Amino acid sequence: MKKIPLIMSLIVNILLVIAVFGLRLHYHEIIFQALYNATTTEVRFHERILAELQSEDEYKMNAVKTMLKQYIQNENEAAAMWKAAAERSRLK
């Protein structure tokens, strides 16, 4: 009878360890999927730029310049947002 609490404690600890590792694997899967999505989007963006530049059409060249300016502005805003989030997390 005295061993029952010990056995139950071991079972609970084993279940907790399994749960922690399972959640960790799932968390990594989500992060890697997000990185994959970001990378493929970046590749498609560069492929589009390359296709537009190879066309040598003046209208398309101006469209690419406008698109790149907008992309740079969006990325600068995103970088500022992530920097602010990093600074806020350091304060906690």
Side-chain angles (χ1 to χ4, degrees), residues 68-81:
L68 284 174
K69 287 177 185 175
Q70 183 64 42
Y71 178 76
I72 290 168
Q73 180 182 352
N74 290 344
E75 290 301 309
N76 283 334
E77 290 172 2
M81 180 187 70

Side-chain angles (χ1 to χ4, degrees), residues 22-62:
L23 288 173
R24 184 171 180 254
L25 289 174
H26 181 67
Y27 175 73
H28 283 186
E29 178 185 351
I30 290 171
I31 288 182
F32 291 143
Q33 185 65 40
L35 291 172
Y36 166 76
N37 291 340
T39 304
T40 55
T41 301
E42 193 79 18
V43 167
R44 278 187 253 122
F45 178 71
H46 289 124
E47 287 172 344
R48 181 176 172 195
I49 290 173
L50 184 60
E52 298 295 335
L53 290 175
Q54 289 174 342
S55 71
E56 296 182 11
D57 180 11
E58 188 65 31
Y59 176 76
K60 288 185 177 182
M61 297 287 258
N62 287 332

